Amino acid sequence: MFSIIILVFLWLFQVVSLKSYYELSTKREISKVVDKVEKNYTKTDYEEYFNKLSFNTDMCIELYDGVLRSYSSFSCNTKSIEFSREKRDFILNNYESQGYEVEDQTVNSKVLLYGIKLEPNKYAFIQASLVPVDSTVKILKQQLMIVSIVVCVLSLLVAIFISKRISKPIEQINENAKKLSKGEYDVTFNEKSTINEINELNETLNYTSRELAKTENLRRELMSNVSHDLKTPLTMIKAYAEMVRDLTYKDKKKREENLNVIIHETDRLNLLVNDILDLSKYQSNTIKLEYSEFDINELIIDIVKRYEIYELKDGYDISYKSEKEKNVIADRKRIEQVLYNLINNAINYTGDNKKVYIKLIDEKEKDKIRIEVTDTGNGIDEKDIPLIWDKYYKADKTYSRVQVGSGIGLSIVKNILELHKTEYGVKSTKKKGTTFYFEVTRSNNNK
């Protein structure tokens, strides 16, 4: 269609409107010559100038001041209009300027004549012969006919080629994309096309397919894990409540033990729900940080004291070497939440010696305070490290209820630290343990 449109324009300009365009172009050229004659007729060398101008434009230039003088051009050989009726009409009517179209019967063509008044009793006439273009149009028609056929055939071949190289791959992409939209994440988009743009599109869609499959797997794991965490405390709450109602309501000691279990499980359930709500807020960017200056060393000491129950009850050893005052600028409440979650994670995955180490490093050259939380567990495979920040992600994909926390602590840590726009990460060695670290901005008030 594009080729046909181009050909239509060629036919219109080269054949249909050639004659009128040729006449219009000649009139424009005459107008330019008229301007040059008016500007140069008073010069001493005007005759030589008119001869050159007439020769270059193939127009006849004549001056009349009682005697008609012509300047060299083939057009001046048209004797039938040497001093035609049109020229007499122009002089007798004393026109300032006037254009005429004159039929030259001797050569069966049209002549364009333009007269201008230079001075009283002094006139100039410029004439140009319009060469018949009928024969030219006939030749152009024959050429354009051949060109049109060749272009249409080539366009058809190109269209077929483009259809096979571009249209068919796009149709295939469309079919696979429809499958992808229906949840078939195992579709593969062919990246062997010879067209770079299609290869890039296929590569992007393959990446999208992998990410969607990963997201779907995480969603299923999340539903399974959350439902498990919800079901376990709810089951225990119901069981112990029934036990109090039916069996131990008269035995004060047993009743209090059962009620304490109910309270503990309710607290754990509340923790899970709150963490899920917090994570949702962080991911929707509805949390606004409240920056303040505080002593991070004092905060760590305070948090470690709260874990003494685990040291007394379960034998955990949470080691922190107290530093002097280290002031930082951050959201105290959120950094406290980060520390809790990292310590909980270390307690859950530390080794049999149940040791957890907390370290504070003053990086004065970076104007940062670095906090590290290290366990002595089995470590994390290198391929799993980028994934541990995902909700409920576990390297072995086998869910087991954690001892402390809700299971989405690291995801909360990631969101809080990204809100602070600070550096964080993890280093792990198999069979030796894992270190989680993050940085906060150092206050200038430190000594």
Side-chain angles (χ1 to χ4, degrees), residues 82-147:
E82 279 184 357
F83 206 83
S84 63
R85 154 173 78 83
E86 288 78 8
K87 296 175 184 176
R88 291 191 183 92
D89 175 72
F90 180 80
I91 295 170
L92 290 173
N93 286 289
N94 200 28
Y95 291 130
E96 292 295 325
S97 63
Q98 184 67 29
Y100 303 91
E101 289 187 5
V102 183
E103 291 290 338
D104 186 355
Q105 300 297 333
T106 59
V107 292
N108 192 27
S109 67
K110 186 186 292 185
V111 175
L112 297 177
L113 175 66
Y114 199 90
I116 54 172
K117 185 178 180 180
L118 301 174
E119 296 175 0
N121 300 319
K122 190 171 187 177
Y123 308 91
F125 298 98
I126 297 93
Q127 62 187 51
S129 179
L130 293 177
V131 179
V133 295
D134 293 341
S135 58
T136 304
V137 170
K138 186 177 180 181
I139 293 171
L140 285 174
K141 281 183 179 179
Q142 293 173 351
Q143 289 181 339
L144 282 174
M145 186 65 71
I146 296 170
V147 170

Side-chain angles (χ1 to χ4, degrees), residues 68-286:
L68 185 67
R69 294 188 298 279
S70 299
Y71 298 93
S72 60
S73 173
F74 295 109
S75 299
C76 294
N77 294 331
T78 309
K79 295 180 180 180
S80 62
I81 58 168
E82 279 184 357
F83 206 83
S84 63
R85 154 173 78 83
E86 288 78 8
K87 296 175 184 176
R88 291 191 183 92
D89 175 72
F90 180 80
I91 295 170
L92 290 173
N93 286 289
N94 200 28
Y95 291 130
E96 292 295 325
S97 63
Q98 184 67 29
Y100 303 91
E101 289 187 5
V102 183
E103 291 290 338
D104 186 355
Q105 300 297 333
T106 59
V107 292
N108 192 27
S109 67
K110 186 186 292 185
V111 175
L112 297 177
L113 175 66
Y114 199 90
I116 54 172
K117 185 178 180 180
L118 301 174
E119 296 175 0
N121 300 319
K122 190 171 187 177
Y123 308 91
F125 298 98
I126 297 93
Q127 62 187 51
S129 179
L130 293 177
V131 179
V133 295
D134 293 341
S135 58
T136 304
V137 170
K138 186 177 180 181
I139 293 171
L140 285 174
K141 281 183 179 179
Q142 293 173 351
Q143 289 181 339
L144 282 174
M145 186 65 71
I146 296 170
V147 170
S148 298
I149 293 171
V150 171
V151 168
C152 286
V153 171
L154 288 176
S155 298
L156 183 62
L157 293 175
V158 171
I160 293 171
F161 175 77
I162 290 175
S163 175
K164 289 183 177 180
R165 292 285 298 277
I166 298 178
S167 299
K168 284 192 176 180
I170 290 176
E171 287 177 7
Q172 187 62 46
I173 290 171
N174 186 45
E175 288 298 318
N176 287 336
K178 287 179 180 177
K179 293 178 182 178
L180 185 62
S181 69
K182 294 177 181 177
E184 298 179 28
Y185 302 123
D186 58 343
V187 295
T188 302
F189 295 86
N190 184 17
E191 298 179 21
K192 296 181 180 179
S193 172
T194 55
I195 299 171
N196 290 336
E197 288 78 5
I198 290 180
N199 274 338
E200 289 175 4
L201 177 59
N202 281 324
E203 185 179 349
T204 301
L205 288 170
N206 278 327
Y207 175 77
T208 303
S209 177
R210 290 192 297 269
E211 291 301 307
L212 286 173
K214 189 190 300 181
T215 302
E216 177 63 16
N217 288 335
L218 288 173
R219 185 189 68 81
R220 289 174 181 170
E221 288 178 18
L222 177 63
M223 292 299 295
S224 173
N225 296 334
V226 169
S227 62
H228 183 282
D229 263 348
L230 290 173
K231 184 177 179 181
T232 302
L234 286 173
T235 302
M236 293 185 69
I237 290 169
K238 181 182 178 182
Y240 278 91
E242 289 177 345
M243 190 179 296
V244 171
R245 183 194 65 189
D246 298 333
L247 301 174
T248 63
Y249 63 94
K250 292 181 179 180
D251 187 332
K252 183 179 179 181
K253 184 179 177 181
K254 291 285 185 181
R255 183 174 71 243
E256 287 183 356
E257 288 178 357
N258 293 340
L259 290 174
N260 284 332
V261 171
I262 293 173
I263 291 169
H264 176 76
E265 293 300 321
T266 303
D267 288 340
R268 192 159 69 86
L269 186 61
N270 187 54
L271 174 64
L272 173 64
V273 173
N274 286 337
D275 278 354
I276 292 173
L277 290 174
D278 281 347
L279 182 59
S280 176
K281 289 177 183 177
Y282 288 125
Q283 292 180 335
S284 62
N285 294 321
T286 58

Side-chain angles (χ1 to χ4, degrees), residues 40-64:
N40 295 281
Y41 81 92
T42 57
K43 294 181 179 179
T44 55
D45 60 343
Y46 75 89
E47 290 189 347
E48 182 181 353
Y49 176 78
F50 286 169
N51 281 328
K52 289 182 180 179
L53 181 61
S54 176
F55 181 81
N56 291 335
T57 59
D58 196 24
M59 294 183 190
C60 176
I61 302 173
E62 296 175 317
L63 293 181
Y64 178 75

